[in-house]
Amino acid sequence: AHGVRAMTDISGFGLAVHLGEMLRASELAARLEVARVPTLPGARRLLARGLRSTAHPRNAAAARPLWGDVPDAHPEAALLLDPQTNGGLLMGIAEHKAAALLAELQREGHADATLCGVVETPQPGTPRLRLDRKR
Protein backbone atom coordinates (compact mmCIF):
# COMPACT_ATOMS: atom_id res chain seq x y z
CA ALA A 1 0.00 0.00 0.00
CA HIS A 2 2.94 2.37 0.66
CA GLY A 3 5.29 1.20 -2.07
CA VAL A 4 7.95 -0.61 -0.06
CA ARG A 5 10.66 -1.43 -2.61
CA ALA A 6 12.72 -3.93 -0.57
CA MET A 7 12.46 -5.62 2.80
CA THR A 8 14.41 -8.10 4.90
CA ASP A 9 14.28 -9.44 8.41
CA ILE A 10 17.17 -8.64 10.73
CA SER A 11 18.42 -12.01 11.88
CA GLY A 12 21.70 -13.81 12.55
CA PHE A 13 23.82 -11.58 10.34
CA GLY A 14 22.83 -8.31 12.02
CA LEU A 15 21.53 -5.10 10.50
CA ALA A 16 24.80 -4.17 8.75
CA VAL A 17 25.14 -7.39 6.76
CA HIS A 18 21.45 -7.54 5.82
CA LEU A 19 21.49 -3.90 4.74
CA GLY A 20 24.70 -4.57 2.84
CA GLU A 21 23.03 -7.32 0.82
CA MET A 22 20.20 -4.97 -0.09
CA LEU A 23 22.65 -2.23 -1.09
CA ARG A 24 24.76 -4.57 -3.23
CA ALA A 25 21.68 -5.93 -5.00
CA SER A 26 20.44 -2.42 -5.78
CA GLU A 27 23.92 -0.99 -6.46
CA LEU A 28 23.20 1.82 -3.99
CA ALA A 29 24.75 3.19 -0.80
CA ALA A 30 23.28 4.33 2.51
CA ARG A 31 23.81 6.68 5.39
CA LEU A 32 22.55 5.26 8.68
CA GLU A 33 21.87 7.13 11.93
CA VAL A 34 22.89 4.49 14.46
CA ALA A 35 21.36 6.42 17.37
CA ARG A 36 17.93 5.97 15.74
CA VAL A 37 18.17 2.17 15.42
CA PRO A 38 15.75 0.62 17.94
CA THR A 39 17.40 -1.68 20.47
CA LEU A 40 16.47 -3.88 23.37
CA PRO A 41 16.87 -2.26 26.80
CA GLY A 42 20.49 -2.51 27.92
CA ALA A 43 21.88 -3.55 24.53
CA ARG A 44 24.03 -0.45 24.05
CA ARG A 45 25.33 -0.66 27.62
CA LEU A 46 26.36 -4.29 27.22
CA LEU A 47 28.05 -3.65 23.87
CA ALA A 48 29.90 -0.67 25.39
CA ARG A 49 31.24 -3.07 28.05
CA GLY A 50 32.64 -5.27 25.29
CA LEU A 51 30.09 -8.08 25.41
CA ARG A 52 29.68 -9.63 21.96
CA SER A 53 27.96 -12.64 20.44
CA THR A 54 30.12 -15.49 19.18
CA ALA A 55 28.82 -14.53 15.71
CA HIS A 56 30.25 -11.01 16.01
CA PRO A 57 33.62 -11.78 14.31
CA ARG A 58 31.87 -13.49 11.38
CA ASN A 59 29.47 -10.59 10.94
CA ALA A 60 32.29 -8.04 11.24
CA ALA A 61 34.24 -9.82 8.50
CA ALA A 62 31.16 -9.92 6.26
CA ALA A 63 30.53 -6.18 6.80
CA ARG A 64 34.12 -5.00 6.23
CA PRO A 65 33.75 -4.69 2.41
CA LEU A 66 30.62 -2.63 3.04
CA TRP A 67 32.00 -0.02 5.41
CA GLY A 68 35.77 -0.46 5.57
CA ASP A 69 37.20 0.69 8.91
CA VAL A 70 33.95 2.27 10.17
CA PRO A 71 33.67 -0.03 13.22
CA ASP A 72 37.03 1.23 14.45
CA ALA A 73 35.90 4.87 14.22
CA HIS A 74 32.29 4.55 15.37
CA PRO A 75 31.63 3.39 18.95
CA GLU A 76 28.16 1.95 18.25
CA ALA A 77 29.02 0.01 15.08
CA ALA A 78 29.00 -3.24 17.09
CA LEU A 79 25.25 -2.75 17.51
CA LEU A 80 24.82 -3.25 13.76
CA LEU A 81 26.63 -6.59 13.87
CA ASP A 82 24.56 -8.09 16.67
CA PRO A 83 22.93 -11.32 15.40
CA GLN A 84 19.33 -11.15 16.60
CA THR A 85 17.30 -14.11 15.35
CA ASN A 86 14.04 -12.32 16.13
CA GLY A 87 15.05 -8.87 15.01
CA GLY A 88 12.87 -6.35 13.29
CA LEU A 89 12.25 -5.68 9.62
CA LEU A 90 14.30 -3.37 7.44
CA MET A 91 12.31 -1.72 4.67
CA GLY A 92 13.37 0.37 1.71
CA ILE A 93 10.83 2.96 0.58
CA ALA A 94 10.86 6.19 -1.42
CA GLU A 95 11.62 9.11 0.88
CA HIS A 96 8.39 10.93 0.05
CA LYS A 97 6.34 7.87 1.12
CA ALA A 98 8.24 7.05 4.31
CA ALA A 99 6.34 9.32 6.72
CA ALA A 100 2.96 7.78 5.83
CA LEU A 101 4.31 4.24 6.27
CA LEU A 102 5.91 5.13 9.59
CA ALA A 103 2.68 6.72 10.85
CA GLU A 104 0.67 3.63 9.91
CA LEU A 105 3.15 1.26 11.54
CA GLN A 106 3.02 3.27 14.75
CA ARG A 107 -0.80 3.42 14.66
CA GLU A 108 -0.81 -0.38 14.33
CA GLY A 109 1.18 -0.74 17.54
CA HIS A 110 4.79 -0.83 16.30
CA ALA A 111 6.00 1.95 18.59
CA ASP A 112 9.68 1.28 17.81
CA ALA A 113 9.24 1.80 14.06
CA THR A 114 11.58 4.56 12.96
CA LEU A 115 13.34 6.13 10.02
CA CYS A 116 17.01 5.42 10.60
CA GLY A 117 18.73 6.03 7.29
CA VAL A 118 18.80 7.30 3.74
CA VAL A 119 19.68 5.41 0.58
CA GLU A 120 21.85 7.31 -1.86
CA THR A 121 23.96 6.98 -4.98
CA PRO A 122 27.39 5.50 -4.18
CA GLN A 123 30.27 7.95 -4.33
CA PRO A 124 33.68 6.80 -5.58
CA GLY A 125 36.13 6.31 -2.73
CA THR A 126 33.50 6.23 0.02
CA PRO A 127 32.12 3.17 1.81
CA ARG A 128 28.78 1.79 0.64
CA LEU A 129 27.52 2.22 4.23
CA ARG A 130 28.29 5.36 6.21
CA LEU A 131 27.26 5.96 9.81
CA ASP A 132 26.04 9.30 11.16
CA ARG A 133 26.15 10.21 14.84
CA LYS A 134 23.35 12.81 14.81
CA ARG A 135 19.87 12.28 16.21
Side-chain angles (χ1 to χ4, degrees):
H2 293 282
V4 171
R5 309 271 309 259
M7 183 168 58
T8 186
D9 64 323
I10 307 304
S11 61
F13 295 104
L15 179 77
V17 178
H18 283 285
L19 176 56
E21 290 298 316
M22 292 171 73
L23 294 173
R24 277 189 284 277
S26 63
E27 298 181 357
L28 293 169
R31 198 168 14 93
L32 192 64
E33 291 183 49
V34 182
R36 296 182 66 93
V37 173
T39 62
L40 294 171
R44 284 183 162 88
R45 182 178 44 79
L46 292 173
L47 288 168
R49 289 182 33 207
L51 294 172
R52 305 283 187 272
S53 161
T54 56
H56 182 91
R58 175 199 69 203
N59 291 349
R64 186 152 303 276
L66 176 67
W67 60 14
D69 294 327
V70 164
D72 301 329
H74 198 290
E76 289 193 313
L79 180 67
L80 306 177
L81 300 170
D82 193 42
Q84 297 301 317
T85 56
N86 289 310
L89 296 175
L90 176 64
M91 298 179 202
I93 187 168
E95 189 171 7
H96 69 280
K97 295 180 178 183
L101 172 60
L102 181 61
E104 183 172 342
L105 287 168
Q106 290 176 342
R107 269 194 316 275
E108 293 294 323
H110 303 286
D112 287 339
T114 187
L115 302 176
C116 60
V118 176
V119 174
E120 47 196 23
T121 303
Q123 300 300 313
T126 62
R128 190 172 291 273
L129 176 59
R130 294 182 299 137
L131 305 182
D132 284 346
R133 296 175 193 260
K134 64 184 174 183
R135 178 161 190 148

